[in-house]
Amino acid sequence: MTTGSAAQSGSRSWLLAVGLFAIAAIAVPLLNLGLAEDSPLHLPDYLVLLLGKFACYAIVALAVGLIWGYAGVLSLGHGVFFALGGYAIGMYLMRSIGTEGVYKSELPDFMVFLDWKELPWYWYGFQHFGFALFMALAVPGLVAFVFGFLAFRSRIRGVYFAIITQAMTYAAMLMFFRNNTGFGGNNGLTDFKRLLGFTLRDPETRIGLYLASVTALLGCFLLCRYVVGSRLGRVLRAVRDAESRVMFSGYDVRSYKLFAWTLSAVLCGLAGALYVPQVGIINPSEMQPANSIEMAIWVAVGGRGTLAGPIVGALIVNGAKSWFTVALPDAWLYVLGLLFIGVTLFLPRGIMGSLLSKHEGTRT
Amino acid sequence: MTVPQNPSLDASDEVDTRQGMILYLEDLTVSFDGFKALDELCLYLREGELRCIIGPNGAGKTTMMDVISGKTRPDSGSAFFGIRHDLTQMSEHEIARVGIGRKFQKPTVFPGHTVFENLELALRGSRSLWHTLFAKLSGEQQDRIALGLDTVGLSDEAHLPAGQLSHGQKQWLEIGMLLAQDPKLLLVDEPVAGLSLSETERTAELLSSLAGTHTVVVVEHDMEFVRQIARTVTVLHEGRVLAEGPMEKIQADAKVISVYLGS
Ligand SMILES: Nc1ncnc2c1ncn2[C@@H]1O[C@H](COP(=O)(O)OP(=O)(O)O)[C@@H](O)[C@H]1O
Ligand SMILES: [Mg+2]
């Protein structure tokens, strides 16, 4: 918890981040596109996809870590913000299919199937990529703002807050499951073809999306780093540690929480927007309560109260998940549960937190 | 971030003490599950005075401070800061911003922040979100923090996490934060609990020196300490004012002796 050492290691952390980014941004395209497919060092396409997804998860973890690790607000509902960002881009991708769908209609296939004759008003504008990207950030931000405004004004905290975020994601999932909501029901949005004219299936497009994801991750990291290093960041940590002292010092705690909460949701929306073109589908299962809990586990494993911790946690847990779901698919949930319990019992500050305290221990 | 604010409030809204009084508590009643922690309490403070509040445990001293600082809403009665600010209608941060600072009974500092950062966050100045996002400490502000560190004797500990301070140092850090906030009215709840004799003396000096330029309300059990600083003493008992006056008169008061001093 020593802020002195955090500030010192913080002064170098951006260099490390940029360095890792440069490696990730150069090595992956080189090994994937630059080498022949029979070369032993060739990076197969499925791994590019996996790494791109991991970058998106890392942004989510950063977002959850910002609000939980710094402001002390545990969210078990960030899956909603991720999914909303994904749906916004998914709507653009649906529109850009044009008349190449199964029914050769201007309307998305699922609307033809439902016998709808025209586009619902809330689909207007999504044929423009810029508008869709804006909405991918603005809609999660707005939903979070309204939700947070009401919850923080009523001084809902701790486990009560976490529970209503679970209720929020569950309610949103049920809403999106309905065909009448207009987002493809339980099938969601899929069968995408193009993004900005690029064919999604092309290896070059995949590399482009991967690069966009790691660049966004770097950007989000640097943004969060600025925020937590500012006086506002110190107020957030103070709210986490002694909320009433902050209020009696004249700070309007609600607006500080609301700021961090809304920013966190916007970052999550960005992650969803980058994720969906890569995996090619968005459906309501992204909003199932368990997904949001998993996001919190990434942060707990990596370590709260640092920015690198959640990123590391997301990479480790998802790396393990990718391996287990192939090797021992039935075991994954147990492994995840054990991992969570193990970290809680033996590394209460998560992996990064424990590494940092070792480091502090050797120095002093 | 628009969180509803008291519409009657803005930064230039100075406390109006033209009547010479800075605090008016009238007929305050607070009950917890039927039990009256405050029972039609009346109390007035002149601007610049140093008032000691004494009384047995459970007399309602902390509850009274909770009402003044906005933490607890009274069931009935009124609480005015000057003649303009109705404290029962303001939120905690609004009350702090118009100039009421508070030290808790249990020392409350930010344990993960350095001593320096604790004072930085307490320092008087804009509390707006955008300001704090881009704020840099000016030279003058750094000087004020350094002065504050010196006043509370924590200059050597400036870069230590406050959680590592001793109990007494935390008490002093919290007092230092209160001074950095520069309120007009200071509510100080049991400032010398757990302090050594010499620390207690220094605290008495510090609080005495504030009187005149600030209005100070001190709740304390330590009678020796109260004798050192008190000009006027108010004795609370079962949520009411039992006696009020100079220390010598209070010590001789038969009612006070029977409920408090004698025990
Ligand atoms: N939040 C609360 N809930 C229930 N009872 C309370 C609460 N706060 C204070 N009380 C009760 O009110 C009475 C006055 O408490 P307090 O103001 O803390 O006394 P003092 O500070 O004079 O020792 C006590 O009997 C206490 O138990
Ligand atoms: Mg008390």
Side-chain angles (χ1 to χ4, degrees), chain B residues 30-33 35-38 55-66 72 105 189-190 219 221 236:
Chain B
V30 173
S31 29
F32 297 112
D33 305 321
F35 169 79
K36 284 187 176 167
L38 293 184
N57 260 327
K61 306 181 295 290
T62 299
T63 306
M64 182 189 82
M65 292 198 164
D66 287 345
T72 301
Q105 184 167 349
D189 204 347
E190 306 207 9
V219 162
H221 269 302
L236 287 197

mmCIF file of all heavy atoms in Angstrom, chain B residues 30-33 35-38 55-66 72 105 189-190 219 221 236, ligand 1:
data_model
loop_
_atom_site.group_PDB
_atom_site.id
_atom_site.type_symbol
_atom_site.label_atom_id
_atom_site.label_comp_id
_atom_site.label_asym_id
_atom_site.label_seq_id
_atom_site.Cartn_x
_atom_site.Cartn_y
_atom_site.Cartn_z
ATOM 1 N N VAL B 30 -32.738 13.836 18.733
ATOM 2 C CA VAL B 30 -32.346 12.708 17.885
ATOM 3 C C VAL B 30 -32.675 11.452 18.661
ATOM 4 O O VAL B 30 -32.225 11.285 19.793
ATOM 5 C CB VAL B 30 -30.825 12.723 17.591
ATOM 6 C CG1 VAL B 30 -30.419 11.451 16.853
ATOM 7 C CG2 VAL B 30 -30.438 13.952 16.788
ATOM 8 N N SER B 31 -33.486 10.575 18.057
ATOM 9 C CA SER B 31 -33.706 9.308 18.775
ATOM 10 C C SER B 31 -33.281 8.126 17.936
ATOM 11 O O SER B 31 -33.392 8.130 16.709
ATOM 12 C CB SER B 31 -35.162 9.173 19.231
ATOM 13 O OG SER B 31 -36.026 9.859 18.378
ATOM 14 N N PHE B 32 -32.740 7.160 18.624
ATOM 15 C CA PHE B 32 -32.372 5.881 18.011
ATOM 16 C C PHE B 32 -33.290 4.834 18.601
ATOM 17 O O PHE B 32 -33.198 4.536 19.794
ATOM 18 C CB PHE B 32 -30.917 5.526 18.328
ATOM 19 C CG PHE B 32 -29.913 6.502 17.763
ATOM 20 C CD1 PHE B 32 -29.177 7.320 18.600
ATOM 21 C CD2 PHE B 32 -29.719 6.594 16.391
ATOM 22 C CE1 PHE B 32 -28.242 8.204 18.083
ATOM 23 C CE2 PHE B 32 -28.790 7.478 15.874
ATOM 24 C CZ PHE B 32 -28.050 8.286 16.719
ATOM 25 N N ASP B 33 -34.168 4.297 17.787
ATOM 26 C CA ASP B 33 -35.112 3.268 18.243
ATOM 27 C C ASP B 33 -35.809 3.696 19.531
ATOM 28 O O ASP B 33 -35.879 2.930 20.498
ATOM 29 C CB ASP B 33 -34.392 1.924 18.485
ATOM 30 C CG ASP B 33 -33.637 1.471 17.255
ATOM 31 O OD1 ASP B 33 -34.171 1.665 16.152
ATOM 32 O OD2 ASP B 33 -32.512 0.953 17.402
ATOM 33 N N PHE B 35 -34.876 5.614 21.822
ATOM 34 C CA PHE B 35 -33.988 6.168 22.837
ATOM 35 C C PHE B 35 -33.498 7.545 22.391
ATOM 36 O O PHE B 35 -32.990 7.712 21.281
ATOM 37 C CB PHE B 35 -32.805 5.215 23.037
ATOM 38 C CG PHE B 35 -31.703 5.806 23.869
ATOM 39 C CD1 PHE B 35 -31.818 5.851 25.246
ATOM 40 C CD2 PHE B 35 -30.567 6.330 23.269
ATOM 41 C CE1 PHE B 35 -30.807 6.404 26.016
ATOM 42 C CE2 PHE B 35 -29.560 6.888 24.032
ATOM 43 C CZ PHE B 35 -29.672 6.922 25.407
ATOM 44 N N LYS B 36 -33.665 8.549 23.269
ATOM 45 C CA LYS B 36 -33.308 9.908 22.861
ATOM 46 C C LYS B 36 -31.845 10.209 23.177
ATOM 47 O O LYS B 36 -31.479 10.425 24.339
ATOM 48 C CB LYS B 36 -34.221 10.918 23.562
ATOM 49 C CG LYS B 36 -35.602 10.945 22.946
ATOM 50 C CD LYS B 36 -36.451 12.049 23.528
ATOM 51 C CE LYS B 36 -37.806 12.092 22.808
ATOM 52 N NZ LYS B 36 -38.776 12.912 23.518
ATOM 53 N N ALA B 37 -31.013 10.205 22.135
ATOM 54 C CA ALA B 37 -29.598 10.530 22.318
ATOM 55 C C ALA B 37 -29.451 12.032 22.542
ATOM 56 O O ALA B 37 -28.597 12.475 23.302
ATOM 57 C CB ALA B 37 -28.790 10.086 21.101
ATOM 58 N N LEU B 38 -30.294 12.826 21.867
ATOM 59 C CA LEU B 38 -30.387 14.256 22.141
ATOM 60 C C LEU B 38 -31.836 14.554 22.461
ATOM 61 O O LEU B 38 -32.738 14.069 21.773
ATOM 62 C CB LEU B 38 -29.934 15.091 20.940
ATOM 63 C CG LEU B 38 -28.463 15.024 20.536
ATOM 64 C CD1 LEU B 38 -28.203 15.988 19.382
ATOM 65 C CD2 LEU B 38 -27.551 15.354 21.706
ATOM 66 N N GLY B 55 -19.265 15.520 29.784
ATOM 67 C CA GLY B 55 -20.461 14.756 30.125
ATOM 68 C C GLY B 55 -20.128 13.290 30.096
ATOM 69 O O GLY B 55 -19.192 12.884 29.413
ATOM 70 N N PRO B 56 -20.888 12.498 30.858
ATOM 71 C CA PRO B 56 -20.585 11.064 30.920
ATOM 72 C C PRO B 56 -20.767 10.388 29.561
ATOM 73 O O PRO B 56 -21.358 10.961 28.647
ATOM 74 C CB PRO B 56 -21.598 10.529 31.943
ATOM 75 C CG PRO B 56 -22.661 11.562 32.052
ATOM 76 C CD PRO B 56 -22.063 12.873 31.651
ATOM 77 N N ASN B 57 -20.228 9.182 29.454
ATOM 78 C CA ASN B 57 -20.392 8.405 28.230
ATOM 79 C C ASN B 57 -21.861 8.263 27.882
ATOM 80 O O ASN B 57 -22.683 8.021 28.761
ATOM 81 C CB ASN B 57 -19.792 7.009 28.423
ATOM 82 C CG ASN B 57 -18.427 6.926 27.794
ATOM 83 O OD1 ASN B 57 -18.175 7.575 26.777
ATOM 84 N ND2 ASN B 57 -17.548 6.148 28.392
ATOM 85 N N GLY B 58 -22.181 8.437 26.611
ATOM 86 C CA GLY B 58 -23.567 8.287 26.189
ATOM 87 C C GLY B 58 -24.401 9.533 26.406
ATOM 88 O O GLY B 58 -25.612 9.515 26.197
ATOM 89 N N ALA B 59 -23.765 10.639 26.811
ATOM 90 C CA ALA B 59 -24.508 11.871 27.067
ATOM 91 C C ALA B 59 -25.030 12.505 25.782
ATOM 92 O O ALA B 59 -25.927 13.336 25.826
ATOM 93 C CB ALA B 59 -23.625 12.866 27.806
ATOM 94 N N GLY B 60 -24.450 12.118 24.621
ATOM 95 C CA GLY B 60 -24.912 12.677 23.350
ATOM 96 C C GLY B 60 -23.927 13.647 22.723
ATOM 97 O O GLY B 60 -24.266 14.342 21.762
ATOM 98 N N LYS B 61 -22.700 13.681 23.215
ATOM 99 C CA LYS B 61 -21.714 14.657 22.713
ATOM 100 C C LYS B 61 -21.377 14.390 21.243
ATOM 101 O O LYS B 61 -21.401 15.297 20.405
ATOM 102 C CB LYS B 61 -20.436 14.591 23.576
ATOM 103 C CG LYS B 61 -20.704 14.769 25.066
ATOM 104 C CD LYS B 61 -19.439 14.726 25.900
ATOM 105 C CE LYS B 61 -18.706 13.401 25.912
ATOM 106 N NZ LYS B 61 -19.388 12.310 26.629
ATOM 107 N N THR B 62 -21.063 13.123 20.956
ATOM 108 C CA THR B 62 -20.723 12.787 19.570
ATOM 109 C C THR B 62 -21.934 12.969 18.661
ATOM 110 O O THR B 62 -21.821 13.465 17.541
ATOM 111 C CB THR B 62 -20.182 11.343 19.497
ATOM 112 O OG1 THR B 62 -19.004 11.263 20.304
ATOM 113 C CG2 THR B 62 -19.845 10.952 18.076
ATOM 114 N N THR B 63 -23.098 12.588 19.161
ATOM 115 C CA THR B 63 -24.319 12.752 18.361
ATOM 116 C C THR B 63 -24.545 14.221 18.011
ATOM 117 O O THR B 63 -24.930 14.552 16.890
ATOM 118 C CB THR B 63 -25.535 12.194 19.128
ATOM 119 O OG1 THR B 63 -25.257 10.848 19.496
ATOM 120 C CG2 THR B 63 -26.786 12.245 18.284
ATOM 121 N N MET B 64 -24.253 15.105 18.949
ATOM 122 C CA MET B 64 -24.407 16.530 18.678
ATOM 123 C C MET B 64 -23.479 16.950 17.526
ATOM 124 O O MET B 64 -23.890 17.670 16.613
ATOM 125 C CB MET B 64 -24.074 17.331 19.939
ATOM 126 C CG MET B 64 -24.258 18.818 19.767
ATOM 127 S SD MET B 64 -23.606 19.721 21.185
ATOM 128 C CE MET B 64 -21.876 19.785 20.776
ATOM 129 N N MET B 65 -22.241 16.465 17.548
ATOM 130 C CA MET B 65 -21.309 16.796 16.466
ATOM 131 C C MET B 65 -21.771 16.187 15.147
ATOM 132 O O MET B 65 -21.591 16.782 14.088
ATOM 133 C CB MET B 65 -19.912 16.296 16.818
ATOM 134 C CG MET B 65 -19.314 17.069 17.980
ATOM 135 S SD MET B 65 -17.549 16.852 18.032
ATOM 136 C CE MET B 65 -17.080 18.197 19.126
ATOM 137 N N ASP B 66 -22.363 14.999 15.244
ATOM 138 C CA ASP B 66 -22.890 14.363 14.030
ATOM 139 C C ASP B 66 -23.974 15.224 13.389
ATOM 140 O O ASP B 66 -24.058 15.330 12.165
ATOM 141 C CB ASP B 66 -23.468 12.977 14.350
ATOM 142 C CG ASP B 66 -22.385 11.949 14.634
ATOM 143 O OD1 ASP B 66 -21.218 12.227 14.317
ATOM 144 O OD2 ASP B 66 -22.721 10.870 15.164
ATOM 145 N N THR B 72 -25.793 13.032 10.918
ATOM 146 C CA THR B 72 -27.071 12.576 11.458
ATOM 147 C C THR B 72 -28.088 13.695 11.291
ATOM 148 O O THR B 72 -27.770 14.856 11.531
ATOM 149 C CB THR B 72 -26.918 12.234 12.958
ATOM 150 O OG1 THR B 72 -25.932 11.216 13.081
ATOM 151 C CG2 THR B 72 -28.230 11.746 13.553
ATOM 152 N N GLN B 105 -13.804 11.070 16.903
ATOM 153 C CA GLN B 105 -13.375 10.494 18.174
ATOM 154 C C GLN B 105 -12.292 9.447 17.949
ATOM 155 O O GLN B 105 -11.259 9.460 18.599
ATOM 156 C CB GLN B 105 -14.596 9.872 18.860
ATOM 157 C CG GLN B 105 -14.314 9.320 20.229
ATOM 158 C CD GLN B 105 -15.604 9.019 20.989
ATOM 159 O OE1 GLN B 105 -16.695 9.398 20.583
ATOM 160 N NE2 GLN B 105 -15.465 8.335 22.101
ATOM 161 N N ASP B 189 -13.452 16.027 18.584
ATOM 162 C CA ASP B 189 -14.005 15.006 19.476
ATOM 163 C C ASP B 189 -12.868 14.227 20.137
ATOM 164 O O ASP B 189 -12.139 13.501 19.476
ATOM 165 C CB ASP B 189 -14.917 14.068 18.668
ATOM 166 C CG ASP B 189 -15.947 13.376 19.549
ATOM 167 O OD1 ASP B 189 -15.802 13.432 20.780
ATOM 168 O OD2 ASP B 189 -16.893 12.786 18.996
ATOM 169 N N GLU B 190 -12.729 14.388 21.438
ATOM 170 C CA GLU B 190 -11.742 13.670 22.248
ATOM 171 C C GLU B 190 -10.343 13.683 21.627
ATOM 172 O O GLU B 190 -9.808 12.645 21.261
ATOM 173 C CB GLU B 190 -12.205 12.231 22.495
ATOM 174 C CG GLU B 190 -13.609 12.223 23.103
ATOM 175 C CD GLU B 190 -13.886 10.993 23.961
ATOM 176 O OE1 GLU B 190 -12.947 10.238 24.233
ATOM 177 O OE2 GLU B 190 -15.043 10.818 24.357
ATOM 178 N N VAL B 219 -14.816 18.253 22.666
ATOM 179 C CA VAL B 219 -15.413 17.278 23.566
ATOM 180 C C VAL B 219 -14.272 16.557 24.251
ATOM 181 O O VAL B 219 -13.340 16.107 23.577
ATOM 182 C CB VAL B 219 -16.274 16.276 22.774
ATOM 183 C CG1 VAL B 219 -16.535 15.027 23.600
ATOM 184 C CG2 VAL B 219 -17.573 16.918 22.351
ATOM 185 N N HIS B 221 -12.953 14.114 27.885
ATOM 186 C CA HIS B 221 -13.193 13.461 29.163
ATOM 187 C C HIS B 221 -12.144 13.870 30.175
ATOM 188 O O HIS B 221 -12.377 13.861 31.368
ATOM 189 C CB HIS B 221 -13.072 11.936 28.987
ATOM 190 C CG HIS B 221 -14.361 11.296 28.653
ATOM 191 N ND1 HIS B 221 -15.467 11.401 29.453
ATOM 192 C CD2 HIS B 221 -14.730 10.540 27.608
ATOM 193 C CE1 HIS B 221 -16.458 10.741 28.907
ATOM 194 N NE2 HIS B 221 -16.042 10.221 27.785
ATOM 195 N N LEU B 236 -23.171 18.080 29.265
ATOM 196 C CA LEU B 236 -24.329 17.380 28.695
ATOM 197 C C LEU B 236 -24.640 16.177 29.558
ATOM 198 O O LEU B 236 -23.743 15.525 30.089
ATOM 199 C CB LEU B 236 -24.031 16.883 27.273
ATOM 200 C CG LEU B 236 -23.951 17.869 26.118
ATOM 201 C CD1 LEU B 236 -24.082 17.105 24.807
ATOM 202 C CD2 LEU B 236 -25.028 18.916 26.213
HETATM 203 N N1 LIG C 1 -26.072 5.102 15.391
HETATM 204 C C1 LIG C 1 -26.576 4.858 16.618
HETATM 205 N N2 LIG C 1 -27.521 3.905 16.772
HETATM 206 C C2 LIG C 1 -28.047 3.667 18.010
HETATM 207 N N3 LIG C 1 -27.685 4.309 19.118
HETATM 208 C C3 LIG C 1 -26.741 5.260 19.018
HETATM 209 C C4 LIG C 1 -26.140 5.584 17.771
HETATM 210 N N4 LIG C 1 -25.233 6.569 17.973
HETATM 211 C C5 LIG C 1 -25.276 6.843 19.292
HETATM 212 N N5 LIG C 1 -26.181 6.066 19.922
HETATM 213 C C6 LIG C 1 -26.515 6.110 21.338
HETATM 214 O O1 LIG C 1 -26.790 7.447 21.664
HETATM 215 C C7 LIG C 1 -26.251 7.754 22.929
HETATM 216 C C8 LIG C 1 -25.323 8.951 22.814
HETATM 217 O O2 LIG C 1 -24.159 8.547 22.153
HETATM 218 P P1 LIG C 1 -22.932 9.510 21.897
HETATM 219 O O3 LIG C 1 -23.419 10.746 21.267
HETATM 220 O O4 LIG C 1 -21.901 8.733 21.148
HETATM 221 O O5 LIG C 1 -22.417 9.793 23.373
HETATM 222 P P2 LIG C 1 -21.060 10.452 23.870
HETATM 223 O O6 LIG C 1 -20.270 10.877 22.686
HETATM 224 O O7 LIG C 1 -21.511 11.587 24.721
HETATM 225 O O8 LIG C 1 -20.377 9.400 24.675
HETATM 226 C C9 LIG C 1 -25.541 6.522 23.433
HETATM 227 O O9 LIG C 1 -26.391 5.856 24.333
HETATM 228 C C10 LIG C 1 -25.352 5.684 22.201
HETATM 229 O O10 LIG C 1 -25.413 4.318 22.514
#
